[in-house]
Amino acid sequence: MSENPTPQLSVAARAEIDRWVAKYPADRKSSAVMAALSVVQEENGGWISREYMDAIAEYLEMPPIAVYEVATFYSMYELEPVGRHKICLCTNISCMLCGSESLQSHLEQRLGIRMGETTPDGRFTLKEVECLGACAHAPVAQLGHDYHEKLTPERLDEILDGLE
């Protein structure tokens, strides 16, 4: 018997996943896997445990490995707990040429953590991402669902100071 039983998806999560499932042909329920992962991650404090991935697989009637493959491929899914505020800093070529390296150094110094880490108080997680698709407005970072463009260390400080 498993030490960690598969958690149940909440009624709200199932309803939201069902909205996505309805957008696909009846025999293609698994097409909603990315949406399901996002819904569960949001509801679970910003990350998805293996047990929740198993619950998604069961709900969408697909092999668990297929859910794991999606969750581990895309950088938007977190497989470990993250801080209340996840700062995704683009370090791709456009952002790098426009100063993302200095932003990274500034954030690491200010927060006392390195890329991929969470502050001891659980407030911030700093994550490097490959591309946020806003190259013309580099450097760019994403905090929660919001994009912040043409960033400077001063502007980053203003944004962080405005967070609870």
Side-chain angles (χ1 to χ4, degrees), residues 90-100 129-131 135 138:
C90 179
T91 58
N92 208 330
I93 190 69
S94 294
C95 287
M96 183 189 69
L97 291 173
C98 292
S100 66
V129 293
E130 185 62 27
C131 184
C135 302

Side-chain angles (χ1 to χ4, degrees), residues 99-116:
S100 66
E101 289 176 327
S102 67
L103 294 177
Q104 178 179 339
S105 295
H106 180 76
L107 284 168
E108 288 178 344
Q109 183 175 13
R110 176 179 168 145
L111 301 175
I113 57 174
R114 304 203 39 85
M115 282 291 186

Side-chain angles (χ1 to χ4, degrees), residues 114-136:
R114 304 203 39 85
M115 282 291 186
E117 296 178 344
T118 299
T119 56
D121 63 1
R123 190 167 180 216
F124 295 102
T125 294
L126 187 55
K127 183 172 184 173
E128 179 178 8
V129 293
E130 185 62 27
C131 184
L132 290 172
C135 302

